[in-house]
Amino acid sequence: MARSGAAAPAGAADGRDGASAGGARRVLVIKLGAFGDVLLADGALRDIRAAHPGAEIAVLTTPAYRRILEACPHVDRVLVDPRAPRWRLDRMAALRRRLRAFAPGMVYDLQNNARTAFYHRWMLRGTPWSGTAPGCSHPHRMANPKSVNARERHATQLADAGLAVRHARAPRPDWMIRDVSAVLAANGVVEPFIVLIPGSAARHPHKRWPGYAALAEALIAEGRRVVTVPGPDEVALCRSVPGVTLMDGERWLDWFELAGVLSRAAFVVGNDTGPSHLAAHLGVPGLALFGSHTPAERTGIRREGFDAIEVADLADLPVATVLDAVRRGLAGGPDPAGGRIS
């Protein structure tokens, strides 16, 4: 579990602790979001921890992901960046003070954008830095981000920095899983069950496939148990899909409880949204549905047992196509009790 770190030693006000990058006593990892990208960073964080076993490792992230990363066993401290506009010099100065107080001896910038390049130049200039920021000490010659997924970018970046890469290509955030036996029992859900994820961020309606209700009807007609797990703005949507809308009373499940549900699913079908990415990286068999908004390969969602269907327009994706893919994914697969899914 994350823990609060020791105060920076005297003399560290220039943002460095005097140690070489390999022997840094404090390491900063920058990963500001989004949720799927935070999950993908799990493998890189494992490799960074292995390379710096005695260091205090902090992650700089945004408020939305603070609680998740505080539970990550590979880090010791979470620093919060509210991503204020850079013209807010007072907030930029406050962030610089926090970063310099931590005094990292090495920075791994897994965000690699204009904002973090600004942080390198203005907040921690001279600190050993792995990333794409101009003039950094450990440059990462990142391939075209439109053609290479984040897992591969993390792996090549750490290799460029001289780290042994064992986990960056295969994140597995199973530390997020919580026991949800009581929630399943209270909702009358027994295994095996299929989880459908019909929602996505409300600002991205084009990411929502409209066929989930018909898919659920077809699966239930075949004797499958179907579950949906709504987020805060998805309760009505999930209740429109046949099956069990899984909640804890009137409360939707948090990310850790969701991980617990997904980890016990026989199969998951979802849109390009956080819960689908969580299922994929937990090693759950499943299928993600993509329109033309983002190439599935770029997201890194394809894992062993987890695939994606890509179409120009999700509104044109037939229910029969998805149903056939689900059947193929389930065929011959072991159920959680060690039997076979019929």
Side-chain angles (χ1 to χ4, degrees):
M1 295 291 288
R3 59 183 185 275
S4 59
D14 65 350
R16 300 181 62 175
D17 66 1
S20 66
R25 295 190 294 273
R26 285 168 300 284
V27 172
L28 178 67
V29 180
I30 303 176
K31 176 46 72 178
L32 303 179
F35 177 72
D37 294 328
V38 170
L39 295 177
L40 287 169
D42 166 79
L45 287 169
R46 290 176 190 257
D47 287 335
I48 292 168
R49 168 54 72 196
H52 301 275
E56 180 185 5
I57 298 178
V59 175
L60 180 67
T61 193
T62 49
Y65 309 114
R66 176 176 188 166
R67 184 174 171 230
I68 293 171
L69 286 168
E70 283 178 339
C72 177
H74 319 310
V75 303
D76 304 297
R77 187 197 295 208
V78 176
L79 305 176
V80 175
D81 176 7
R83 298 186 75 168
R86 277 179 272 174
W87 55 263
R88 285 295 305 266
L89 298 184
D90 55 335
R91 296 189 181 183
M92 292 296 100
L95 179 60
R96 180 169 65 176
R97 286 193 296 271
R98 290 198 300 274
L99 295 180
R100 290 187 171 186
F102 179 65
M106 182 66 192
V107 177
Y108 295 94
D109 177 7
L110 300 183
Q111 199 67 33
N112 287 313
N113 60 15
R115 172 177 285 270
T116 57
F118 171 77
Y119 292 174
H120 168 259
R121 181 176 67 253
W122 194 71
M123 299 185 183
L124 292 172
R125 189 174 186 86
T127 302
W129 186 289
S130 164
T132 60
C136 68
S137 60
H138 296 69
H140 170 40
R141 295 168 182 83
M142 185 170 63
N144 183 351
K146 293 185 178 181
S147 61
V148 179
N149 68 57
R151 292 184 284 120
E152 187 62 29
R153 293 200 303 272
H154 290 163
T156 56
Q157 176 173 347
L158 297 187
D160 287 345
L163 273 62
V165 176
R166 298 186 178 90
H167 303 287
R169 292 183 176 90
R172 185 57 61 88
D174 48 11
W175 42 268
M176 288 186 63
I177 295 171
R178 299 294 182 269
D179 183 11
V180 291
S181 299
V183 174
L184 294 175
N187 284 270
V189 176
V190 297
E191 301 171 63
F193 57 86
I194 296 171
V195 174
L196 302 184
I197 304 170
S200 65
R203 65 183 182 278
H204 298 307
H206 55 285
K207 290 187 175 185
R208 294 185 175 186
W209 180 54
Y212 282 99
L215 176 63
E217 289 177 356
L219 291 170
I220 292 170
E222 294 182 356
R224 317 282 189 183
R225 298 182 188 91
V226 172
V227 167
T228 57
V229 186
D233 61 347
E234 299 167 351
V235 175
L237 173 64
C238 286
R239 285 178 173 163
S240 71
V241 176
V244 176
T245 302
L246 192 60
M247 299 177 68
D248 186 1
E250 295 300 312
R251 180 182 67 84
W252 50 82
L253 305 187
D254 65 23
W255 284 113
F256 301 99
E257 294 164 322
L258 176 62
V261 172
L262 295 174
S263 71
R264 296 170 67 161
F267 202 82
V268 173
V269 183
N271 299 318
D272 175 20
T273 186
S276 301
H277 290 264
L278 179 57
H281 302 308
L282 289 174
V284 180
L287 182 69
L289 310 179
F290 280 74
S292 60
H293 53 276
T294 304
E297 185 59 31
R298 181 181 176 184
T299 70
I301 199 170
R302 284 193 171 100
R303 300 291 299 272
E304 183 177 358
F306 202 101
D307 205 350
I309 293 177
E310 298 182 80
V311 293
D313 188 337
L314 283 172
D316 297 330
L317 177 60
V319 173
T321 299
V322 179
L323 180 60
D324 286 346
V326 175
R327 287 169 177 159
R328 290 194 299 272
L330 288 168
D335 71 19
R340 313 298 289 181
I341 298 173
S342 59

